[in-house]
Amino acid sequence: MDHFSYKEDILHAEEVSIQEIAKEVGTPFYIYSTATLRRHFDLFESALSGVDHLICYAVKAASNQAILKTLAKFGAGMDVVSGGEYKRARDAGVDGGRIVFSGVGKTGAEMKLALHEGVRQFNVESEEELLVLSGIAHDMNRVAPISIRVNPDVDAKTHEKIATGKAENKFGIPISRAREVYARAASLPGIQVVGIDLHIGSQLTQLLPFEKAYTKIADLTDVLRSDGHEIKRLDLGGGLGIPYGLEDGSPPTPKEYGEMVKRVLGHLNCEIEIEPGRLLVGNAGLLVSEVIYVKKGHDREFLILDAAMNDLLRPALYEAYHDIVPVKKSSSNQENAIYDVVGPVCETGDTFAKSRAMKKCSPGDLVAFRSAGAYGAAMASEYNTRPLVPEVLTNNHEYSVIRERPALEEIIARDKIPFWLK
Ligand code: LLP
């Protein structure tokens, strides 16, 4: 459930008319709802009530500092995967002790930054990384708290590009080698083992893959404890899916997920960390765009929008489905039509939807892509020298532009002409 709804036929974000915002900000733009962020955060909070836990928001899903600050205010920690994300979280006021540092290719500079400013734990993904971290922490006279990301070899039953928990994926260490690698970690200077980490994939629409993986982790916890390791935290990753459209059915709720977590892992008395991204911000954001042309093609009609694949990459990259709805319902758009919905970028992949049944549109109409809050703005680029689109956050009757559209001059001025061309 979200807080985007029609009031007198105009789509509103909480109490703010999206049409009014479009007039001020121009299209395309992303808009997020604070009340929806709150609602989704609270769902996880209550799902894990009764167990010691920390919800570490996966910053990669939507990394604007206003979103980070909002979630941090609700009580979230953060899960980051780069020095950039770490700095964003810190600049948004998040204490280093509430940040977990994940990622398969952390650099020495990133490790130093986090060791210097504070980190809850590094989720280490390989022995190679473990050795580098040990060396750096030792040299800095620090101790790096670590969990090791274990690859449980479970099929997450999601799109292959976002499945991470199979043996052939680049993530984590094989679960069969966990004892050996933990023993090595315990012997290294500058390293303190605090737990186990895993993340099997994103947009999971069934509980069973999670349960299979967590069962393996429960067994591993017993084994590692009997080997003498202090396993006090389990980082379960993110991955719970959201309903984008009919084909997703109804993914499990945070409540069902939480019940399963308690059933499978509760007896271990570990602190539970989770790293949700999509479930917190996905349905809390829309991409709003204007129709430029309705073009008659050879055998179809194209709805050409001012948003493109560079603004919302998910359909081009994963054939992802996003609902597209009118911002204004009116008598003129009650007629149905079928469109290929496309952007202005010069490649055929710049297609948001094929043969989509929608209300008839005319140039100048505004449409909104639903469930675009996660991996929308965060994955945008300036391809075709299209400026990154602005982001807006609503809070009840208020709204604020949380990222401005850069001027073309600003983008172009980043290029530097070498002296021999001057
Ligand atoms: N933790 C780790 C270590 C991750 O790699 C991810 C996502 C998450 C947590 C958060 O997963 P979530 O709860 O959002 O499913 N761009 C793709 C999704 C990529 C997910 C990458 N890792 C998309 O648009 O579907």
Side-chain angles (χ1 to χ4, degrees):
M1 215 212 85
D2 60 47
H3 292 259
F4 299 105
S5 58
Y6 290 93
K7 297 186 202 319
E8 287 169 13
D9 286 347
I10 307 286
L11 189 59
H12 280 59
E14 304 189 25
E15 299 304 320
V16 187
S17 153
I18 290 179
Q19 218 173 27
E20 290 308 309
I21 299 177
K23 273 189 204 145
E24 187 190 320
V25 195
T27 53
F29 64 93
Y30 277 95
I31 181 158
Y32 307 94
S33 146
T34 301
T36 313
L37 293 173
R38 168 101 250 180
R39 186 187 148 79
H40 290 155
F41 184 81
D42 287 350
L43 286 178
F44 268 127
E45 268 299 339
S46 60
L48 291 177
S49 67
V51 283
D52 198 8
H53 67 270
L54 183 65
I55 299 170
C56 295
Y57 167 59
V59 171
K60 62 170 80 69
S63 33
N64 190 295
Q65 281 183 67
I67 292 176
L68 305 188
K69 230 178 161 60
T70 302
L71 290 169
K73 217 174 75 187
F74 300 157
M78 302 283 148
D79 164 52
V80 304
V81 291
S82 69
E85 286 191 354
Y86 178 87
K87 250 190 101 29
R88 262 179 198 268
R90 293 282 295 124
D91 287 358
V94 182
D95 191 83
R98 295 175 72 78
I99 302 177
V100 299
F101 207 128
S102 302
V104 72
K106 300 176 199 77
T107 64
E110 289 171 330
M111 293 171 181
K112 277 184 200 156
L113 173 68
L115 280 171
H116 182 67
E117 292 195 23
V119 65
R120 182 175 168 83
Q121 95 226 4
F122 290 96
N123 288 333
V124 172
E125 299 234 11
S126 65
E127 286 174 274
E128 293 79 2
E129 180 191 338
L130 192 57
L131 290 178
V132 172
L133 181 61
S134 164
I136 289 176
H138 186 63
D139 289 350
M140 289 173 73
N141 222 357
R142 300 278 161 101
V143 173
I146 66 140
S147 290
I148 295 178
R149 178 163 174 183
V150 167
N151 185 327
D153 195 19
V154 163
D155 183 355
K157 305 239 183 292
T158 184
H159 191 286
E160 61 164 354
K161 286 188 182 161
I162 53 175
T164 53
K166 287 284 285 171
E168 70 256 28
N169 300 135
K170 68 179 174 184
F171 300 99
I173 58 151
I175 194 161
S176 55
R177 296 204 48 239
R179 285 181 87 175
E180 205 183 315
V181 181
Y182 270 88
R184 179 115 195 245
S187 74
L188 290 172
I191 295 288
Q192 186 199 0
V193 170
V194 296
I196 309 175
D197 169 53
L198 80 162
H199 169 77
I200 60 171
S202 195
Q203 186 53 15
L204 271 69
T205 52
Q206 300 169 31
L207 270 190
L208 195 60
F210 285 119
E211 182 162 351
K212 280 188 186 159
Y214 297 171
T215 305
K216 290 189 179 190
I217 293 307
D219 295 344
L220 181 63
T221 304
D222 287 337
V223 171
L224 293 178
R225 280 178 170 169
S226 69
D227 285 350
H229 301 288
E230 194 192 0
I231 304 296
K232 59 178 181 182
R233 288 182 196 155
L234 297 177
D235 182 335
L236 305 180
L240 199 55
I242 61 172
Y244 280 100
L246 296 176
E247 79 270 29
D248 298 316
S250 352
T253 61
K255 184 166 183 281
E256 289 161 339
Y257 173 83
E259 279 162 5
M260 181 275 290
V261 165
K262 290 177 196 172
R263 176 163 48 78
V264 178
L265 301 166
H267 63 285
L268 296 166
N269 288 320
C270 284
E271 182 178 6
I272 298 294
E273 295 165 337
I274 56 168
E275 302 171 349
R278 192 188 311 267
L279 202 130
L280 292 178
V281 295
N283 287 333
L286 306 179
L287 171 64
V288 180
S289 176
E290 185 176 312
V291 176
I292 309 179
Y293 298 113
V294 183
K295 171 176 169 173
K296 288 204 192 326
H298 164 63
D299 59 353
R300 64 193 70 204
E301 275 195 307
F302 294 100
L303 199 63
I304 304 182
L305 304 180
D306 65 357
M309 63 188 288
N310 69 296
D311 305 311
L312 178 64
L313 186 58
R314 304 192 67 258
L317 198 57
Y318 318 112
E319 287 90 40
Y321 177 96
H322 285 267
D323 258 348
I324 306 171
V325 298
V327 168
K328 183 172 192 230
K329 288 186 189 166
S330 70
S331 44
S332 70
N333 69 10
Q334 283 320 292
E335 227 178 293
N336 293 323
I338 295 193
Y339 296 120
D340 277 15
V341 185
V342 301
V345 158
C346 304
E347 48 182 292
T348 304
D350 185 21
T351 298
F352 291 118
K354 283 195 164 155
S355 307
R356 179 70 63 90
M358 295 172 58
K359 294 290 168 205
K360 204 170 165 50
C361 288
S362 310
D365 286 354
L366 298 177
V367 294
F369 289 81
R370 295 184 68 94
S371 311
Y375 308 107
M379 288 174 73
S381 77
E382 290 174 347
Y383 186 38
N384 280 206
T385 310
R386 293 168 47 86
L388 292 181
V389 304
E391 294 178 285
V392 177
L393 179 65
T394 54
N395 185 23
N396 203 355
H397 287 89
E398 317 284 351
Y399 72 93
S400 175
V401 176
I402 58 172
R403 187 177 72 194
E404 290 183 342
R405 194 188 312 276
L408 283 179
E409 294 70 26
E410 216 177 309
I411 297 171
I412 294 163
R414 276 192 237 129
D415 299 348
K416 297 295 167 215
I417 306 297
F419 68 89
W420 64 86
L421 291 177
K422 281 186 178 161

